Amino acid sequence: HVTDCNADDCERAIKAASDAFPVWSETTAAKRGALLMTWHQKIKENVDLLAHLLTLEQGKILSEAKGEIHYGASFIKWFAAEAERAYGDVIPSNHPDKRMTVVKQPIGVCAAITPWNFPNAMITRKIAPALAAGCTIVLKPSDETPYSALALAYLAEEAGFPKGVINVVTAKDPVPIGEVLTSSPMVRKISFTGSTRVGKWLMERSAPTLKKLSLELGGNAPLIVFEDADMDMAIEGAISSKFRNNGQTCICSNRILVQDTVYEEFQSRLAEKTGQMKYGSGFESENSLGPLINKKALEKVSGLVEDAIAKGARLASQSDDDRNGLFFAPAVLTGVTPEMEIFSEEIFGPVAPLYKFSTDEEAVDLANDTRYGLAAYFYTRDLSRAWKIAEKLEYGMIGVNETAISNASAPFGGIKESGFGREGSKYGIDEYLNVKYVCFGIR
Ligand code: SIN
């Protein structure tokens, strides 16, 4: 059982964060960093429990849940160090009687609205930089996965964060909470990971108070396999990026584009491997995929596959191990074309649709033919092709012969309707800092 907070509770959380801000923002960066490291330590000591909780509420297999706890903790460690590196600047003066400097200051109360697909890591990726910068937080986790958020907050309290610095608002209905977070003049920034539709709603509602926003929204990642690719690497990359978290990440490869000369080979090898994948309870170690998050997700994935088949696609492989509940057997679809819904929709499920192309230009055009621009991947051994394609792909993140691109030191984020702002890396903390220019007259 989890508290179902309402709009008033959210107002109280904002007030608590606002009251805590003056002291927290003036706490030294070294002290904030040290507290973050204590929190990090506590998470590391509780990996097994946190992972168990995560699998229980989200469904991903336990090994992935453990991986997520380590991944989530890595953002805390990274930003604990970044706290002390939030340097300003001294600008060469344009006048003998002036000295010009820039200082960076915490924005204020920040809201983090986080998704269910990474119930731990998307929280730490947002709130660790905020806390490192000196901001205070109101966190609204997904109603599908409140427990991981509460467990993190519990450990943060044990680590010694002062009251009011981190506030968690759990609620069944996100709308009243979103309305309060967006309309409150006390909230100076919102960081959101979720759908493009909700991102636009938050942006519209934040306009009257001109909040700073970071929006990490939907994706439609292409994975391009050129004929000169190392086929073993390409298959391995396709499997891991497609089926990570049961296909439920914003950067899962959503469209696999394969050059016509190697299409048959790629398709049969991918289908064979996919057909061997086991799915079921995340607690059974033989499974590599768990359930989907809810019935709506299952209906969406099934609907996309049905539409593609009705328009001429073929299931090259799908385990016939039929199961009840929220399970979807991992599948490879061949003969998929841009006219099918699956080409433009984020699948968020374990279905790998294969498209055929002939030339590099065609591959780039197909890859860029989407309103999204989060992540893209391609496999080639030709260095000049690699440079050219990486430059032409309209995405915030590119994996060249690599699909495991996420880590705390890299800038995560998109362009186009995948949003803006960067998380992780040396850029991540800037999202929570104001740049203040201070000019000294020294006549
Ligand atoms: C996401 O799906 O939004 C996050 C994926 C990642 O951090 O790798």
Side-chain angles (χ1 to χ4, degrees), residues 71 117-118 122 125 193 216 244 248-251 406 412:
Y71 178 46
N117 61 344
F118 288 88
M122 295 305 99
R125 186 155 85 183
T193 294
E216 200 264 271
R244 177 177 174 221
Q248 303 172 111
T249 89
C250 305
I251 59 167
S406 309
F412 192 103

Side-chain angles (χ1 to χ4, degrees), residues 28 56 71 87 96 98 102 150 193 202 253 255 265 398 408 423 427:
T28 63
L56 211 53
Y71 178 46
Y87 299 114
K98 288 181 194 165
V102 167
L150 293 170
T193 294
L202 291 169
S253 48
R255 294 169 297 153
E265 180 194 352
I398 310 279
E423 297 191 307
Y427 306 104

Side-chain angles (χ1 to χ4, degrees), residues 1-57:
H1 296 273
V2 175
T3 307
D4 187 11
C5 296
N6 59 24
D8 289 344
D9 297 320
C10 187
E11 300 273 15
R12 282 200 298 129
I14 295 171
K15 171 85 172 48
S18 178
D19 290 347
F21 179 71
V23 172
W24 182 246
S25 59
E26 284 175 15
T27 302
T28 63
K31 176 120 192 266
R32 293 197 298 261
L35 268 174
L36 281 163
M37 281 313 292
T38 311
W39 189 26
H40 175 265
Q41 177 67 28
K42 293 203 168 283
I43 291 169
K44 289 283 194 177
E45 283 162 9
N46 287 283
V47 171
D48 289 340
L49 282 172
L50 290 166
H52 187 91
L53 191 62
L54 203 159
T55 295
L56 211 53
E57 67 175 343

